[in-house]
Amino acid sequence: MPSAERKTHFKTIQKFQTDYATSVFTEYVSERTGMTVVVVDQKGPKVFGFFALATEIHDDSGAPHTLEHLIFMGSKSYRFKGVLDKLATRAYSNTNAWTATDHTAYTLDTAGWEGFAQILPVYLEHVILPTLTDEGCYTEVHHVDGTGHDAGVVYSEMQGVQNNQGELMDLKARRLIYPEEVGFRYETGGMMEQLRVLTADRIRDFHREMYQPKNLCLVIIGEVDHSDLLTILDKFEGDILDDIPKPDAPFKRPWIESKQTPPLEKSEIQTVEFPEEDESTGEILIGFLGPDCNDTLLTSALNILLVYLAGSSVSILENTLVEKEQVASAVYYSTDNRPKVLIWFSLSSVATEKLSGVEKRFFEVLQEASASPLDMEYLRDCVRRQRRQLKFEVEGSGAFFADPIINDFLFGKRDGSTLRDLATLKEYDDLEQWTDAQWRGFLRRWISDANHVSILGVPSANMSKKLKADEEARVAAQKERLGEEGLKKLEKKLADAKAKNDREVPREILEQFKVPGTDSIHFIGTTTARSGHARKLGRLENPIQKIVDQDTDLPLFIQFEHIPTNFVHFTLVLSTGTIPVQLRPLLSVYIMNFFDTPIVRKGHRVEFEKVVTELEKDTISYTIDGGSYIGNPEVLRIRFQVEPEKYDAAIRWLKELLWDGIFDEMRLKATVTKILADIPEEKRSGNSMANAVDTMIHYSPESSSRARNTLVKAPYIKRISRLLKDEPHTVITQLENIRKSLCRFENFRVLVIANLEKLKKPVSSWSTLIQGLDTSKPLNPLDLRIARLSEAGKNPGKLSYIIPMPTSDSSFSLHTARGPDSYDHPQLPTLMVAVAYLDAVEGPLWANIRGTGLAYGTRFARSTESGLLQYRIYRSPDAYKAFALSKKVIEDFISGATPFDPPALEGAISSIVVAFADEQPTMADAAQLSFVNQVVRGLPADFNDTMLKMVREVGVENIKKVLESVVLPVFMPGKADVVVTCAPIMEEAIKKGFEESGFKPEVQPLTFFQDDYGLKAKDGEDDAEDEEDDMEGEEDGEEDEEGDGSEDN
């Protein structure tokens, strides 16, 4: 008898294909539990899973956020912390999660379907049936350690953000927009004072209420086996039915069946202070309630109108407030999907004394716009460009549809009708027909005449000091209240909780899940072709090379990567070694000014507004930046993304911008003003400044990436601003010299990613760019990162710095030593396995550092291009303690005190496979990687395959040798440099710790690391300001030492 068709409890609601992409949507709903599943079928090596629950709460307890962390601590059948991630690592998978105001999402991205299918039921059980033990809550959420200080993974995370400018302003705005009965007003991450009293029972109650299958949507994107998926989900549901609330029990749908947001009755302006020593500039945040999020036409109109108002340097708000009046460094916009869309504008780096006036001016500009005819030609260009960009993003992002599907699950109709709106872009056709009256009416209704909330963010040095003093007093009172005996009890309670949490996962649990084969991982293939100087890399024989050979050849170095795409991506890579060193800091101005400047066309000046408008009409996107994304920060990268019919036009644009741009005095002043205005904000981030200091000490002035560092821009661009005022011709001449040095044939390498079977004149179109150039010179070599190291970079081990930052509530550290400096280095495969093993989620460092609340995260960073190995500690309550324990973990592996776990070693190798897949999740990414490997890194096309074979052969003894000879030096005085940024209250304890470990840390302010590249201030005016800044830093340091010292006593 033929077998009966398998019965599934999942009903197909709908299946459809979009008319603008190859993606196919299938929506299922379980008739047993109400669970929703949306599968988006698309090609690629990765399968992406997003498991989203609508989560609503009406307090700042942090229950949603803490629950997100606790989900990973074990489940009914797998009652061990870390088992999920240990299994996921073996199955070519990564897990993660986030907590938003309106939902919590758990992610699973896997190389290949086989691994995804293996982990899916284990992951879902963790979500629906977690252990939620008291001990897990104690270590993961909040506890007081034996020294009387507060810790915990979630607590440390929120400590790092609660008092920053963005968080304070956002929370204040939401408190004004939403009444107490509406959950959008609350901080779902948790406020520190509430995390300190949050109980495990409160978290369990929240889980019981919200984490039900009927409130869960699985979004799965990639090459999915639907039959296998439904079989897995049917079995999973059958296994959990006895442990979940009855599926037919009453359930109030979050957000939809709750009290809805009332309209804003009036406009309000309020001031919020944030801690910042530099009181020169503040921020403005403005919020509006917009249209119904399910109205596709109106939300699309809103997105287009926001682009029209603030999408580029020619848009109304940006052009008036930033480019012409220069009262802000930028006007940003964003939206939050809510039943009523929340519309945000933020104005950055506004002079503190002008905040109120600039807020008023913002609305004057809007009202002037709504009172006059709009530029309908430009507005329709915005509609068309938005549609082009959306099609491009769908092709270029593996997980593009995740957000709209999650938003539909949260706020859309359960019959699938609102989800089906994703099938078409017909709303853009309708919007192209809108009249001036319709657009202006829309602008008035939702923005210019609408009630709103404005928050003026005012920097306050006094607030920094008060926060520090209050925290010192609170901790001192806590220590006194607990007493010596109480602290000992807490120390024991923490040790007991860690011991229970950290029970070893039985090997048999891990080994029952076999490492999947790699057959289901479908890496994207690209076909390479070459012309001009690129042919010297080797002759190629393939159909695409034949197409290229049929076109007229040019000497220009061009590498083509053929993929089945609807777009053309091309990149011009420029070597920077020919630019005079003293002019390299001016690259920041050159880059920012590149697209926003007038040009000369056929002898006539074309103003920058017309340039940008025409550029936007001809392109999908265009950028200029350093070469970090192509593996070499020392080069510059100019990139265009266009439709194939605009290929020629884009190359002509590149030619005009490189040689025909005008260094206009007024435009340069606007550019410099924007750069200067952003510097205070850049210097508020402890993590960013740790990286900035690290770059300053480890790279020489010849490094173009160092020359663009914030700590160079701070003095240099300030002096360029004065020079522009006094001697504009001097600055213009310097920029002309940069152009002459940079824009040479011998500095050019081109990457073209396209469907070469359909692209006309792939080679000869580039004759426009090189016309009139001397093409006889050989190519300059690409700038090598290792050649730009400073003496400290070549020989780390002599420098150790602690930089107190009043804007930070946490600490960040970087530890740098020498590492392999080539891709054929014999230790590289072993180092890759060793680092993958140590860095694994729920691996040795995760368990000992993040798992104990000593830091939000740690990781090794290997730079083969510079020959450096770094260990990074991110957002820690005490970076030294995290450092010391990390060192011990590694020493214990070397000595044999801690044995290597064979399943975890298998997982480390699997994670390297995942890392290779992560480099090429889309067609365009795979094509760019081919260029990076062959041209930038000089590697053979089969490098990844060869490296995977080598890492599979790595043994434990080799790992121990590499840990001792390469990794351990990162933690050793005389071998490693140390950079720490921290809250002033943490300075003394961290300094003392490193001193006791044999380092000789200096406490220095950020200004100590600044470099003006020889551009001195006139009459000592600027130097006096810098000295004053230094004195302020020293005084703060002295106060911190005294305060911390008395506290420890």
Side-chain angles (χ1 to χ4, degrees):
M1 290 179 61
S3 59
E5 186 178 336
R6 188 186 64 79
K7 168 68 175 168
T8 177
H9 294 277
F10 282 83
K11 176 184 177 182
T12 304
I13 300 300
Q14 60 181 330
K15 182 173 183 177
F16 61 88
Q17 181 172 349
T18 62
D19 62 10
Y20 51 93
T22 57
S23 308
V24 177
F25 287 66
T26 309
E27 182 178 13
Y28 304 101
V29 172
S30 170
E31 296 179 303
R32 272 196 297 192
T33 68
M35 184 194 304
T36 300
V37 183
V38 180
V39 179
V40 182
D41 289 294
Q42 62 184 36
K43 298 290 185 184
K46 300 297 293 288
V47 179
F48 300 94
F50 301 83
F51 315 143
L53 300 111
T55 44
E56 180 177 0
I57 197 167
H58 290 192
D59 60 42
D60 299 317
S61 66
H65 183 201
T66 54
L67 179 55
E68 172 224 308
H69 283 250
L70 292 169
I71 289 300
F72 295 91
M73 300 289 282
S75 70
K76 179 186 176 183
S77 305
Y78 306 92
R79 306 185 71 84
F80 297 90
K81 173 190 172 188
V83 66
L84 172 63
D85 285 301
K86 288 177 185 290
L87 291 171
T89 301
R90 288 162 56 83
Y92 312 125
S93 300
N94 289 310
T95 68
N96 210 332
W98 71 76
T99 302
T101 304
D102 52 18
H103 72 278
T104 306
Y106 298 87
T107 67
L108 175 64
D109 66 84
T110 306
W113 170 253
E114 188 179 346
F116 189 95
Q118 187 184 87
I119 298 303
L120 178 61
V122 181
Y123 203 158
L124 293 179
E125 186 186 278
H126 277 71
V127 172
I128 299 299
L129 302 176
T131 53
L132 300 183
T133 64
D134 289 345
E135 293 82 4
C137 293
Y138 193 67
T139 59
E140 195 76 7
V141 179
H142 171 265
H143 57 265
V144 178
D145 64 20
T147 68
H149 290 86
D150 299 85
V153 177
V154 176
Y155 188 84
S156 297
E157 181 182 351
M158 298 312 295
Q159 185 181 47
V161 300
Q162 180 165 316
N163 288 312
N164 71 28
Q165 162 255 319
E167 181 74 13
L168 290 168
M169 293 177 67
D170 172 77
L171 190 61
K172 184 65 175 179
R174 287 192 285 121
R175 297 286 208 236
L176 294 173
I177 292 170
Y178 297 108
E180 291 185 3
E181 317 88 72
V182 177
F184 296 121
R185 82 181 256 121
Y186 296 101
E187 176 47 76
T188 51
M191 304 293 282
M192 284 190 288
E193 53 273 21
Q194 297 215 29
L195 288 170
R196 291 196 285 264
V197 297
L198 179 62
T199 65
D201 282 338
R202 175 70 183 96
I203 298 169
R204 292 183 191 114
D205 289 343
F206 185 76
H207 180 272
R208 193 176 300 111
E209 181 185 1
M210 292 288 163
Y211 278 52
Q212 300 185 38
K214 68 182 72 173
N215 192 35
L216 172 64
C217 177
L218 310 185
V219 183
I220 304 174
I221 303 172
E223 296 185 27
V224 178
D225 182 331
H226 286 244
S227 177
D228 193 20
L229 171 65
L230 296 181
T231 299
I232 291 166
L233 294 179
D234 276 321
K235 182 179 185 311
F236 169 71
E237 284 195 331
D239 291 343
I240 66 169
L241 281 174
D242 292 340
D243 297 292
I244 62 173
K246 290 187 180 299
D248 57 357
F251 179 75
K252 179 181 174 184
R253 184 180 172 189
W255 307 116
I256 300 304
E257 296 175 10
S258 304
K259 180 177 175 62
Q260 295 303 297
T261 305
L264 287 172
E265 294 181 356
K266 60 179 181 177
S267 294
E268 285 193 67
I269 303 177
Q270 292 209 13
T271 296
V272 169
E273 289 190 340
F274 61 89
E276 170 61 87
E277 288 221 322
D278 184 340
E279 296 184 329
S280 61
T281 65
E283 311 284 323
I284 300 173
L285 179 67
I286 303 167
F288 307 81
L289 288 172
D292 181 347
C293 70
N294 290 316
D295 190 319
T296 305
L297 182 67
L298 294 188
T299 54
S300 298
L302 175 62
N303 291 332
I304 290 159
L305 185 63
L306 291 173
V307 170
Y308 178 84
L309 292 174
S312 73
S313 55
V314 300
S315 57
I316 292 171
L317 292 167
E318 185 86 7
N319 189 254
T320 304
L321 301 176
V322 178
E323 303 296 340
K324 292 177 179 173
E325 300 177 6
Q326 298 176 22
V327 294
S329 68
V331 179
Y332 300 104
Y333 67 85
S334 63
T335 59
D336 289 340
N337 224 58
R338 305 284 184 259
K340 293 179 181 176
V341 176
L342 188 53
I343 305 165
W344 296 111
F345 286 95
S346 59
L347 285 74
S348 62
S349 303
V350 177
T352 305
E353 68 277 8
K354 295 180 178 178
L355 284 167
S356 180
V358 172
E359 190 272 347
K360 182 181 179 183
R361 179 66 182 136
F362 174 89
F363 283 97
E364 288 175 353
V365 174
L366 284 175
Q367 282 154 7
E368 288 165 9
S370 66
S372 308
L374 301 179
D375 183 343
M376 290 304 294
E377 183 180 356
Y378 179 59
L379 192 44
R380 291 193 180 103
D381 282 342
C382 290
V383 175
R384 297 177 192 121
R385 192 163 194 253
Q386 188 87 348
R387 178 166 40 201
R388 291 198 303 272
Q389 288 178 330
L390 197 147
K391 290 180 180 179
F392 178 80
E393 287 172 25
V394 170
E395 181 181 288
S397 168
F400 174 83
F401 287 112
D403 282 344
I405 294 171
I406 291 172
N407 286 329
D408 180 75
F409 176 72
L410 295 176
F411 309 121
K413 295 179 180 178
R414 285 290 192 249
D415 62 4
S417 58
T418 48
L419 179 66
R420 201 176 183 90
D421 287 339
L422 290 172
T424 178
L425 300 179
K426 61 181 175 57
E427 62 271 16
Y428 291 92
D429 297 331
D430 297 337
L431 291 171
E432 274 201 68
Q433 305 305 314
W434 269 28
T435 64
D436 174 76
Q438 284 175 291
W439 281 111
R440 283 201 282 155
F442 187 86
L443 170 60
R444 283 193 291 265
R445 179 179 179 186
W446 298 113
I447 299 178
S448 65
D449 294 356
N451 289 333
H452 57 272
V453 165
S454 294
I455 307 297
L456 310 182
V458 177
S460 169
N462 286 334
M463 186 178 181
S464 299
K465 295 172 184 173
K466 184 177 186 305
L467 285 171
K468 177 192 168 189
D470 289 350
E471 181 65 2
E472 288 176 337
R474 188 190 67 78
V475 173
Q478 182 165 270
K479 288 180 179 180
E480 186 175 351
R481 184 179 71 253
L482 291 167
E484 189 175 341
E485 197 60 35
L487 290 173
K488 285 181 180 177
K489 287 181 180 178
L490 289 177
E491 188 172 20
K492 183 177 185 306
K493 182 179 179 181
L494 180 59
D496 291 345
K498 287 179 183 176
K500 185 165 183 181
N501 289 341
D502 296 338
R503 288 174 302 145
E504 191 71 25
V505 179
R507 187 176 296 179
E508 55 268 23
I509 289 181
L510 301 177
E511 291 179 343
Q512 69 178 320
F513 292 83
K514 301 302 179 185
V515 175
T518 55
D519 295 344
S520 69
I521 306 173
H522 300 150
F523 288 100
I524 298 170
T526 71
T527 306
T528 302
R530 296 171 180 144
S531 70
H533 279 300
R535 295 179 187 273
K536 294 178 182 178
L537 295 177
R539 181 167 179 79
L540 299 171
E541 295 289 345
N542 61 61
I544 303 305
Q545 184 66 57
K546 290 178 180 175
I547 292 172
V548 168
D549 290 344
Q550 288 168 6
D551 196 5
T552 305
D553 199 20
L554 297 172
L556 181 66
F557 181 112
I558 310 177
Q559 177 152 315
F560 296 94
E561 294 292 341
H562 168 73
I563 57 174
T565 174
N566 295 314
F567 305 97
V568 178
H569 318 235
F570 72 73
T571 300
L572 175 66
V573 177
L574 300 103
S575 300
T576 58
T578 49
I579 300 173
V581 173
Q582 71 273 17
L583 294 183
R584 291 185 190 182
L586 206 52
L587 278 170
S588 296
V589 177
Y590 178 85
I591 288 171
M592 184 171 277
N593 190 69
F594 187 78
F595 290 107
D596 288 339
T597 195
I599 62 171
V600 175
R601 182 181 291 159
K602 296 179 181 177
H604 298 284
R605 177 182 171 114
V606 181
E607 294 301 334
F608 95 93
E609 288 92 347
K610 184 172 176 58
V611 169
V612 173
T613 301
E614 291 181 2
L615 257 175
E616 291 183 351
K617 187 180 294 188
D618 283 341
T619 64
I620 294 163
S621 70
Y622 51 86
T623 56
I624 177 171
D625 51 28
S628 296
Y629 288 104
I630 54 171
N632 188 340
E634 296 304 319
V635 301
L636 294 188
R637 177 185 75 154
I638 304 173
R639 186 171 59 151
F640 282 80
Q641 292 160 331
V642 297
E643 293 170 303
E645 60 269 23
K646 294 291 186 178
Y647 182 55
D648 277 346
I651 294 170
R652 288 196 298 273
W653 273 116
L654 181 59
K655 165 90 170 181
E656 285 188 315
L657 292 160
L658 284 170
W659 282 283
D660 300 331
I662 299 170
F663 295 118
D664 176 78
E665 180 182 341
M666 295 309 297
R667 296 300 308 136
L668 291 172
K669 285 180 178 177
T671 295
V672 166
T673 299
K674 284 189 282 186
I675 294 173
L676 286 174
D678 283 337
I679 288 172
E681 187 174 354
E682 292 171 12
K683 291 171 80 171
R684 287 171 194 153
S685 165
N687 188 48
S688 295
M689 287 303 99
N691 285 306
V693 170
D694 180 79
T695 298
M696 294 303 293
I697 65 177
H698 287 130
Y699 291 90
S700 69
E702 286 78 14
S703 166
S704 65
S705 61
R706 179 188 188 273
R708 303 194 306 275
N709 190 303
T710 299
L711 297 176
V712 172
K713 289 189 291 186
Y716 186 92
I717 302 300
K718 186 188 294 184
R719 294 168 196 176
I720 285 291
S721 176
R722 289 177 182 155
L723 199 58
L724 260 177
K725 192 182 298 180
D726 300 336
E727 303 173 33
H729 62 280
T730 300
V731 178
I732 290 169
T733 299
Q734 290 174 340
L735 286 165
E736 292 284 5
N737 288 336
I738 286 179
R739 174 153 57 193
K740 288 174 187 173
S741 303
L742 187 66
C743 299
R744 301 177 180 180
F745 171 82
E746 57 268 31
N747 284 338
F748 291 172
R749 287 170 177 82
V750 173
L751 164 65
V752 177
I753 301 170
N755 185 335
L756 272 296
E757 294 172 341
K758 297 181 179 179
L759 186 64
K760 296 177 181 177
K761 300 191 299 181
V763 179
S764 56
S765 295
W766 288 92
S767 61
T768 305
L769 183 73
I770 62 173
Q771 189 175 1
L773 296 185
D774 179 358
T775 61
S776 64
K777 293 183 180 179
L779 278 182
N780 287 323
L782 287 171
D783 310 297
L784 294 177
R785 191 87 164 131
I786 200 165
R788 304 276 172 90
L789 291 174
S790 66
E791 282 305 310
K794 294 171 185 174
N795 299 289
K798 301 180 181 67
L799 303 178
S800 181
Y801 294 109
I802 295 172
I803 303 102
M805 292 183 60
T807 53
S808 178
D809 286 331
S810 199
S811 64
F812 305 83
S813 68
L814 281 77
H815 310 268
T816 305
R818 295 299 302 163
D821 56 5
S822 70
Y823 284 93
D824 58 3
H825 194 288
Q827 290 180 310
L828 181 58
T830 308
L831 179 63
M832 289 171 68
V833 176
V835 166
Y837 184 91
L838 293 169
D839 276 348
V841 177
E842 292 298 345
L845 290 171
W846 176 292
N848 283 278
I849 309 303
R850 179 181 167 113
T852 59
L854 280 177
Y856 187 71
T858 65
R859 70 180 181 92
F860 284 95
R862 171 181 52 81
S863 174
T864 307
E865 287 76 15
S866 60
L868 296 176
L869 179 66
Q870 284 191 328
Y871 184 59
R872 297 168 176 246
I873 297 170
Y874 178 78
R875 204 183 286 167
S876 168
D878 188 327
Y880 172 71
K881 288 182 180 178
F883 164 87
L885 185 53
S886 300
K887 181 183 180 185
K888 184 177 185 306
V889 168
I890 288 156
E891 288 173 332
D892 286 350
F893 278 113
I894 295 169
S895 69
T898 302
F900 285 88
D901 177 43
L905 278 172
E906 289 180 332
I909 293 168
S910 294
S911 71
I912 294 170
V913 175
V914 173
F916 286 155
D918 285 342
E919 287 185 306
Q920 45 185 313
T922 68
M923 294 184 295
D925 291 323
Q928 180 170 281
L929 180 64
S930 178
F931 175 82
V932 169
N933 278 346
Q934 295 180 67
V935 177
V936 180
R937 295 173 179 163
L939 301 174
D942 63 350
F943 170 78
N944 285 5
D945 293 336
T946 304
M947 183 58 71
L948 280 176
K949 290 176 185 174
M950 294 172 74
V951 300
R952 291 185 191 282
E953 295 170 1
V954 170
V956 167
E957 289 307 312
N958 285 336
I959 294 175
K960 285 185 177 181
K961 289 177 184 175
V962 161
L963 288 180
E964 187 168 16
S965 63
V966 181
V967 177
L968 189 58
V970 174
F971 300 86
M972 294 170 60
K975 298 283 188 181
D977 292 335
V978 177
V979 174
V980 180
T981 56
C982 64
I985 192 174
M986 300 174 179
E987 173 202 318
E988 185 186 6
I990 292 174
K991 182 173 185 285
K992 182 180 177 183
F994 279 107
E995 285 174 339
E996 290 175 350
S997 290
F999 293 90
K1000 298 176 182 178
E1002 298 178 38
V1003 177
Q1004 297 289 358
L1006 284 172
T1007 49
F1008 176 81
F1009 304 96
Q1010 293 183 171
D1011 186 353
D1012 59 16
Y1013 277 66
L1015 181 60
K1016 300 302 178 185
K1018 290 187 176 181
D1019 305 323
E1021 179 184 2
D1022 191 70
D1023 295 331
E1025 287 181 16
D1026 286 345
E1027 286 168 14
E1028 187 178 316
D1029 289 343
D1030 277 350
M1031 289 302 295
E1032 287 175 3
E1034 288 166 14
E1035 288 169 8
D1036 281 316
E1038 289 165 8
E1039 288 174 9
D1040 294 340
E1041 287 177 13
E1042 187 177 327
D1044 285 353
S1046 61
E1047 178 190 302
D1048 287 338
N1049 293 334

